[in-house]
Amino acid sequence: VSALVNDSVGTLVTGYFEEATAEVGVILGTGTNACYWEKVPNITKLPSPDGWSGGEQRMCINMEWGNFDSVNKKVLPYTQFDDVIDQNSPNPGKQRFEKMMS
């Protein structure tokens, strides 16, 4: 294996090679996820060598948004059916947004 990428990242990078203005990769199907290009200096979790700011370089950020709102459940409009599916899943309380999309 030379490279292994997430499906949303693969979608964005493939789109970028076809059209250099591609900014977002989104997967909507049996699961869901998204990624986008971010300027390196804006990525606060990324340790950088002393003196290197990243300049105008950009990096693909994988959002893993399938777990969005799983903990607090304050944003998405959950129904009783979403709760039943979640409770009967192999990973209750996790990836709730992804389960709703599926």
Side-chain angles (χ1 to χ4, degrees):
V1 174
S2 298
L4 182 63
V5 297
N6 175 279
D7 55 357
S8 61
V9 173
T11 299
L12 175 56
V13 172
T14 300
Y16 180 80
F17 281 110
E18 188 71 26
E19 177 57 55
T21 60
E23 291 289 328
V24 176
V26 177
I27 298 297
L28 302 170
T30 56
T32 185
N33 195 15
C35 64
Y36 67 98
W37 296 115
E38 182 64 73
K39 288 184 180 178
V40 171
N42 295 338
I43 306 170
T44 58
K45 290 185 174 185
L46 180 66
S48 60
D50 290 337
W52 184 72
S53 68
E56 291 297 310
Q57 293 182 10
R58 300 187 313 157
M59 182 181 287
C60 183
I61 301 295
N62 179 7
M63 296 176 61
E64 288 298 342
W65 73 6
N67 204 37
F68 176 71
D69 201 36
S70 289
V71 176
N72 297 323
K73 297 193 285 183
K74 294 182 178 180
V75 179
L76 298 173
Y78 295 107
T79 68
Q80 63 187 3
F81 305 107
D82 297 311
D83 290 333
V84 169
I85 288 171
D86 181 51
Q87 291 166 6
N88 290 287
S89 74
N91 58 346
K94 298 181 176 157
Q95 302 296 114
R96 289 183 61 104
F97 181 49
E98 190 158 80
K99 292 169 192 171
M100 292 172 75
M101 294 295 296
S102 297

